[in-house]
Every structure is written in structure tokens, then in C-alpha cells.
Amino acid sequence: KQQEHGRDEYQAEIWNEMIGKEIGISYFIFNIGIKYVSATESMIIGMLEAVFNPVWVFLGVGEVPSVQAIIGGVIIFGGIIWHNVRRTEVSS
């Protein structure tokens, strides 16, 4: 039993390292890219994280998102599409 507990701690350590580096690198890249888009676009890009989190969890762990999560993602994704279509029409 003691040996299994040590293995779990080691796996948790590895996950913490991986997630910490992934989040740090992604926010670093996001902060560089934010200089090249408008404030509205950067907010919309940031909202995509909330949309795709349930997708990544479903693909990685197999946890099925709730109906509310799916509806929220559709609303946010629909707003992003609407914003881009409207912006394209205005610039034409």
C-alpha cells in the first residue's frame, strides 16, 4: 500500500509540472499575441478557452459535458462567429 501511495504522489508531481508549464507557456504566447489584435478580439480569443475546456476534458478523460456547458459553449462560439461576420460585412 505504501508503494502505491508513493507512485500516486509521483504521478501528481508530473501532472503538476506538465500543467504548470503548459499554462505558463500558453499565457506567455497569448500576451505576446495580444499586441497584434484589438481589445475585443483578445477578449473573444480568451473566451475560447472556456468553450474548449469541456471538449479537451471529454477527449482526454471521457467526461461528458453537461447540457448547460454545451449551451454556454454554443452561445459563446455563436457570438464569436457573429462578431467576425459583422466585422467582415462592415469592412466590405
Side-chain angles (χ1 to χ4, degrees), residues 8-84:
D8 290 342
E9 287 178 3
Y10 179 70
Q11 287 175 339
E13 223 174 278
I14 290 173
W15 277 107
N16 286 337
E17 286 291 321
M18 289 172 49
I19 291 170
K21 289 177 182 167
E22 183 271 332
I23 289 173
I25 291 169
S26 64
Y27 281 126
F28 177 74
I29 293 170
F30 181 76
N31 284 329
I32 291 171
I34 208 167
K35 298 173 188 174
Y36 303 102
V37 296
S38 70
T40 304
E41 289 174 323
S42 66
M43 180 191 69
I44 289 172
I45 292 167
M47 288 172 57
L48 283 174
E49 180 182 8
V51 172
F52 285 114
N53 279 339
V55 174
W56 303 135
V57 171
F58 175 72
L59 293 174
V61 182
E63 181 180 323
V64 179
S66 68
V67 173
Q68 292 90 348
I70 293 171
I71 291 171
V74 168
I75 291 170
I76 293 172
F77 204 67
I80 292 169
I81 292 170
W82 177 75
H83 171 76
N84 285 320

